[in-house]
Amino acid sequence: SNGTITCKILGKKECEARGMGAYLGVARGSETEPQFIHLTYKPRKGDINSKVAVVGKGLLFDTGGYNIKTAMMELMKFDCGGSAATLGAARAVGQLAPEGVECHFLVAACENMINDRAVVPSDILTASNGKTIEVINTDAEGRLTLADALVYADKEVGAERIIELSTLTGAMMVSLGKEICGFFTTDDDLAKELEDVSKKTGDKSWRMPMAKEYNDQLKSKVADMTNCGTRYGGAITAALFLENFVSKKKPFAHIDIAGPVWSDKTGATGFGAKLVTEWVTRQGQLKKEETEEEKKKD
C-alpha cells in the first residue's frame, strides 16, 4: 500500500473496555480469542473530503452455536465472506490510492462455537451503545458482531457514511438466489450510488425494502430488542436490527451477500470486493463535487 494503510488490532481486553458485549458474547464460545481488525486508508497527498467506513462480517466458522446447524455446516468457512470482500477491497484501494477519501475497513473477527461458556437462547447481551439484546437464536450471531462494529464505525471512527457487507441470511438466498446480493438503505442517494457501482463492477445487486412495520418482530419483553424475528421476512428484520447501531441521520447500507459469495462449482467468488473498491474510490470526488455545488448555490 506504499504506506497508505495502517493496521490496528483490538484484542479481547480492548473490546471489553469499549463495552462490546454483543460481539464478545458470540466470541466466548470459542477457544480462539476475538480479534477486532481496523485498517485505515489515507491518501498520500491532498485534502481529505470524505471519511467513510466499510464493515465486513468476519465469522471464521459458524456452527450455529447451541441452535446448531443441521445442514451446510461444512460450508460455514464462507461466513467470513463479508470480511474477505472488505479486506480484499482494502488491498485494492491501497494500490489504487484514490485521493480525497479516508476509509476505515473494520472486521469483528471471531468464531461461533459451542462450549460451557457459549451464549444460550434467552441470554441478554449489551452492545457498546447500551442497547440490550435478547438472544432468541444463537445462529443469528453475525448481526451481534456487526452491531458493535457499526457502533465503532459510527462513534469511535466518526465515519460520515457506512456500508456493511455480510453473509447474513438464508432468507436473502431464497429471495434473490445465488447470483445477486440484496442491499438495504433508507438513503436514496446512497442507494443510487450502490446501484451505479453494481452496474459498473458487475457485482449484481437489488435494493430491498426497509419495511418498518416488521420491527414488531424484534420486540422483546425483557430487552430493547431480540436478535431475530420470525421465519418470514428474515432478511428485512436483520437489516432493521442493524439500523439500531448507526446514528439515524447517517447514510448507511447493509449489503447481504449470502448468495453470490460462494459457488458450488468453484468455491469462494470474491464477490463484493470490486463493489466496495469502486464505491470507496468515488467518495473523495463525490464529496468534492457536492461541496462545489453548494458553493455555487451560495
Side-chain angles (χ1 to χ4, degrees), residues 169-176 231 233-236 256:
T169 67
M172 182 54 64
M173 297 170 71
V174 173
S175 299
L176 297 179
R231 60 179 296 195
I236 298 173
D256 193 331

Short mmCIF file of all heavy atoms in Angstrom, two decimals, residues 169-176 231 233-236 256:
data_model
loop_
_atom_site.label_atom_id
_atom_site.label_comp_id
_atom_site.label_asym_id
_atom_site.label_seq_id
_atom_site.Cartn_x
_atom_site.Cartn_y
_atom_site.Cartn_z
N THR A 169 -28.13 -13.83 5.87
CA THR A 169 -29.36 -14.61 5.99
C THR A 169 -29.57 -15.57 4.83
O THR A 169 -29.31 -15.25 3.67
CB THR A 169 -30.61 -13.70 6.06
OG1 THR A 169 -30.79 -13.01 4.81
CG2 THR A 169 -30.48 -12.69 7.19
N GLY A 170 -30.09 -16.75 5.17
CA GLY A 170 -30.55 -17.68 4.14
C GLY A 170 -31.76 -17.11 3.42
O GLY A 170 -32.02 -17.44 2.26
N ALA A 171 -32.51 -16.24 4.11
CA ALA A 171 -33.69 -15.63 3.51
C ALA A 171 -33.33 -14.82 2.27
O ALA A 171 -34.11 -14.75 1.31
CB ALA A 171 -34.40 -14.74 4.53
N MET A 172 -32.14 -14.20 2.27
CA MET A 172 -31.72 -13.44 1.10
C MET A 172 -31.46 -14.37 -0.08
O MET A 172 -31.77 -14.04 -1.23
CB MET A 172 -30.46 -12.62 1.42
CG MET A 172 -29.97 -11.76 0.27
SD MET A 172 -31.24 -10.66 -0.39
CE MET A 172 -31.52 -9.62 1.02
N MET A 173 -30.91 -15.54 0.19
CA MET A 173 -30.69 -16.51 -0.88
C MET A 173 -32.01 -17.01 -1.46
O MET A 173 -32.13 -17.23 -2.66
CB MET A 173 -29.85 -17.68 -0.35
CG MET A 173 -28.47 -17.27 0.12
SD MET A 173 -27.60 -18.59 1.02
CE MET A 173 -27.25 -19.72 -0.31
N VAL A 174 -33.00 -17.18 -0.60
CA VAL A 174 -34.33 -17.58 -1.06
C VAL A 174 -34.93 -16.48 -1.94
O VAL A 174 -35.55 -16.76 -2.97
CB VAL A 174 -35.25 -17.89 0.14
CG1 VAL A 174 -36.67 -18.13 -0.33
CG2 VAL A 174 -34.74 -19.09 0.91
N SER A 175 -34.71 -15.23 -1.56
CA SER A 175 -35.29 -14.09 -2.28
C SER A 175 -34.65 -13.87 -3.64
O SER A 175 -35.34 -13.72 -4.65
CB SER A 175 -35.14 -12.81 -1.45
OG SER A 175 -35.82 -12.91 -0.23
N LEU A 176 -33.31 -13.83 -3.68
CA LEU A 176 -32.60 -13.40 -4.89
C LEU A 176 -31.69 -14.46 -5.50
O LEU A 176 -31.00 -14.19 -6.49
CB LEU A 176 -31.78 -12.14 -4.58
CG LEU A 176 -32.57 -10.90 -4.16
CD1 LEU A 176 -31.61 -9.75 -3.87
CD2 LEU A 176 -33.57 -10.49 -5.23
N ARG A 231 -39.68 -16.53 10.74
CA ARG A 231 -39.08 -17.05 9.51
C ARG A 231 -39.48 -16.22 8.29
O ARG A 231 -38.87 -16.35 7.22
CB ARG A 231 -39.50 -18.51 9.29
CG ARG A 231 -40.99 -18.70 9.16
CD ARG A 231 -41.37 -20.15 8.92
NE ARG A 231 -40.84 -20.65 7.66
CZ ARG A 231 -41.26 -21.79 7.09
NH1 ARG A 231 -42.17 -22.52 7.69
NH2 ARG A 231 -40.76 -22.18 5.95
N GLY A 233 -39.73 -12.84 6.15
CA GLY A 233 -39.07 -11.53 6.03
C GLY A 233 -37.77 -11.45 6.81
O GLY A 233 -37.39 -10.38 7.29
N GLY A 234 -37.07 -12.58 6.93
CA GLY A 234 -35.88 -12.63 7.78
C GLY A 234 -34.76 -11.71 7.34
O GLY A 234 -34.02 -11.18 8.18
N ALA A 235 -34.60 -11.50 6.04
CA ALA A 235 -33.55 -10.60 5.56
C ALA A 235 -33.87 -9.16 5.93
O ALA A 235 -32.98 -8.35 6.22
CB ALA A 235 -33.37 -10.74 4.05
N ILE A 236 -35.17 -8.83 5.93
CA ILE A 236 -35.60 -7.47 6.26
C ILE A 236 -35.43 -7.20 7.75
O ILE A 236 -34.91 -6.15 8.15
CB ILE A 236 -37.07 -7.24 5.84
CG1 ILE A 236 -37.22 -7.40 4.32
CG2 ILE A 236 -37.55 -5.85 6.28
CD1 ILE A 236 -38.66 -7.35 3.84
N ASP A 256 -26.39 -7.73 1.94
CA ASP A 256 -26.41 -9.16 2.27
C ASP A 256 -25.91 -9.94 1.06
O ASP A 256 -26.60 -10.03 0.03
CB ASP A 256 -27.83 -9.59 2.64
CG ASP A 256 -27.88 -10.97 3.30
OD1 ASP A 256 -27.00 -11.80 2.99
OD2 ASP A 256 -28.80 -11.22 4.11
#
